[in-house]
Amino acid sequence: MRLHKQRLEGKLMNQAQTVTYAVEDGVALIAVNNPPVNALAAGVREGIMECVMRANADAEVDAIVLLGEGKNFIAGADIRRLGSVRPVSTRKSAATLEASDKPVVAAMHGYALGGGLEHALACHYRIASPDARLGLPEVKLGIIPAGGGTQRLTRIAGPAASLDVILSGRHVGAEEAQRLGIVDAIVDGTDLRTAAIRFARGVASRRPLPRARDSAQGIELTEAEATALDAARKSITKKSRHLKAPAYALECVEAALTRPFDEGVALEEARFAELESSEESKALRYAFFAEREAAKIPGAESTGKAPRIRSAAVIGAGTMGSGIAMSYADAGIPVKVLEVTREALDRGMLRIRDTYAVRVKRGSLSQGEMDARLALIEGVQSYEAIADCDAVVEAVFERIDIKQEIFGRLDAVMKPGALLLTNSSAIDIDIMANATSRPQDVAGAHFFAPANVMKLCEVVRGSKTAPETVANAMKMARDMGKVCAVAGSCDGFAANRSRVPMMTEMMLMLEEGATPEQIDKVMVDFGYPMGPFAVNDISGLDVSYEGRKRRAAANPEYRKLHVPDRLVEMGRKGQKTGAGWYAYHDGDRTPHPDDVVKQVIAQVAAEFGIPQRTFTDEEILHRLLFASVNEACKILEEGKAYRVSDIDVMWLYGFGFPRHRGGLMYWADTVGAQAVWQQVTEWHERYGKRWQPGRLLGEIAAAGGALREAKGASL
């Protein structure tokens, strides 16, 4: 190989360029420089193509490296441009890389996602730093890879791995990517740029160039791969029957096995074009941006960067407390679990150990990871033992007197500036804050059960909560891997308060002639993974029982829900007692319709003289969801939520609302604010006060506007 004198070409003079070109030691360096994540925005694809052609025309260049400036390689397409015309597609720029007569090496660090990974797959070689995270997450946005990703990844890594990556949308670490054959080498302890130049020099003379498109179709599947394909088909039928993208992704992967490359790419392009303009994708894109918007706290911009919580405590080792403690440990945060009795503490620690052991048995956690997380959780029995913690979350039973006592004790022992948080799902934050001498440090951190699994943390701001406290609680929850949204303090806050009307209507429809299994079926057909009665059996019927008693005591006009109250009083609290809305046989968690429930419903209907009738599926759906849409509008009117989209985030992550519907309020817009208001008004006349239309709903309907564009009053 002839020696090259080092020649460095100046970066393109125009500082607005998002792709730069330089030559060093006979290697052309094409660098994407589009902060903050190097998204494939306007001009990036064109710049890559121009630089590839320039390098191929340069006699002094023997090889090419594609890399990203800053913290990432290329983190995917600009999602905001989906649905709009793009002069150059990822398919075209990726094809230019692959067609290069000189070897192209992708040097990946940080995120290499979506179109970013598709560009890397089109390169002839791929190296990565240990921090690289690769993925094709398009299905999460209701689309599929459209730059040849389904075709190249299947040819490189095989159909089983390809389907796993595409259908899950997960990020793959560098080591796993190397095992799958996606990455040729991992660069550790050396500057990636320097290593990429050295690697490119090493492959500069190799021919023929390894192009993914040249891999022959008609691959003979192994038994494991055939099994994986069959399992994917069954999973899509069962879990993704409401979605087109997963089925189209499977179709394209199968095409990579049976069709020439260009035919597979043409199919991929056609399926993507259909999905890009679909309602499914529009809703999923809305949900994507809603989640990011929820992290923004109006009024907290001047509080500075929130510090990381380095030690935490949880009061209560019950189901919620144990789950919160595991969430801390999962995030690498040491946590102390406080219980006043050794018996209760031992039960809680055993619950934590058993939960981790199940994950180890399932293969989602290694024994070493379990041991490391358990080492971060310490059981204690005195308040003095938690005094130095940065944050404490009270997670005891929903009784005001107990919570007031706990916050008084926390006030006496916790260090200045510690976050004093309550996991209450409904009780006014000010009640706990007023039990302390530092109400500015008190806020709600409402985790959803099971806390170690559910992603939502509703951060609740009391009337005296400092903006810094809200910002710090949000940062803490995000560090724990949670999705956060802020609510104002009121009965039920924003999440549960908006859901209570739905729960009320489903209970009242029982009294009028509907059955739990009918209502559950309607909601599953709508897209929920489980029906609300089946979910209630998991969480426990007794969880909301105390709240109903409290509301009834405070409000003489409160409409009691006789059926669930009687079931709780009969000892039917759900799966934990072997019976709730459904019966559970011999430890089996499969719900079975139960005649006992039907008898209780019939007794209540007869006792109160409630006429029986049949319900259509549409009436059930609308009566459940319109009630909550109306209440959400009232929450926004009162300034107990910042944004409509925040409520949608709460429903998506707290209540399992079908993501392809966008969220409660986004879905309501697909029906139309006028249609919702008209039906709510009609039911107000029929059922009375609980259906009184919200002012905001009426205003939006009258203006012919969209609910998702409404703004909440200031918290």
Side-chain angles (χ1 to χ4, degrees), residues 50-339:
E50 177 188 332
C51 290
V52 171
M53 290 185 284
R54 180 177 176 180
N56 274 273
D58 190 338
E60 296 295 321
V61 170
D62 295 323
I64 304 166
V65 168
L66 176 66
L67 69 160
E69 299 283 7
K71 296 181 179 180
N72 299 291
F73 176 66
I74 303 171
D78 183 348
I79 297 171
R80 289 180 174 84
R81 297 189 69 200
L82 287 171
S84 62
V85 176
R86 291 176 293 280
V88 174
S89 66
T90 296
R91 177 175 56 85
K92 188 172 182 180
S93 52
T96 300
L97 287 164
E98 192 171 52
S100 171
D101 290 329
K102 298 177 181 181
V104 185
V105 179
M108 297 176 284
H109 74 295
Y111 288 125
L113 303 176
L117 179 57
E118 288 185 292
H119 279 85
L121 293 171
C123 295
H124 308 116
Y125 301 95
R126 289 161 294 280
I127 66 173
S129 60
D131 72 325
R133 307 291 292 174
L134 288 61
L136 294 174
E138 285 86 349
V139 290
K140 293 185 175 181
L141 297 174
I143 53 178
I144 60 172
T150 62
Q151 304 306 293
R152 291 190 178 93
L153 184 60
T154 303
R155 285 168 165 80
I156 291 169
S162 181
L163 279 172
D164 173 43
V165 171
I166 294 171
L167 294 179
S168 70
R170 68 185 180 91
H171 297 171
V172 177
E175 289 187 5
E176 182 183 0
Q178 187 177 36
R179 289 197 304 271
L180 295 176
I182 302 171
V183 167
D184 297 299
I186 296 176
V187 177
D188 197 358
T190 307
D191 174 68
L192 182 62
R193 176 190 172 104
T194 301
I197 293 171
R198 186 166 58 244
F199 188 96
R201 299 274 329 133
V203 299
S205 61
R206 291 184 190 176
R207 296 295 185 277
L209 295 178
R211 295 183 171 96
R213 66 169 292 131
D214 294 337
S215 299
Q217 72 274 9
I219 300 171
E220 186 174 343
L221 297 181
T222 66
E223 184 177 346
E225 288 172 333
T227 300
L229 282 171
D230 187 54
R233 289 189 200 95
K234 292 177 179 177
S235 177
I236 289 170
T237 301
K238 181 179 179 181
K239 298 180 180 179
S240 304
R241 62 192 179 98
H242 299 283
L243 307 174
K244 288 184 177 180
Y248 283 178
L250 174 60
E251 181 185 14
C252 289
V253 167
E254 291 181 317
L257 302 173
T258 58
R259 301 190 194 183
F261 181 84
D262 289 335
E263 285 187 19
V265 168
L267 174 66
E268 181 187 83
E269 184 180 20
R271 293 292 184 251
F272 173 84
E274 177 187 341
L275 291 170
E276 184 180 20
S277 59
S278 68
E279 293 305 317
E280 171 187 326
S281 181
K282 290 176 184 176
L284 289 167
R285 274 140 49 192
Y286 166 85
F288 175 87
F289 288 113
E291 179 182 332
R292 280 142 188 82
E293 192 70 16
K296 300 174 183 177
I297 312 169
E301 296 86 352
S302 61
T303 60
K305 188 175 181 180
R308 179 175 172 83
I309 297 298
R310 301 192 179 279
S311 60
V314 178
I315 311 297
T319 302
M320 282 304 302
S322 298
I324 295 169
M326 283 187 283
S327 294
Y328 276 120
D330 291 346
I333 301 171
V335 58
K336 296 179 179 180
V337 181
L338 190 155
E339 269 287 3

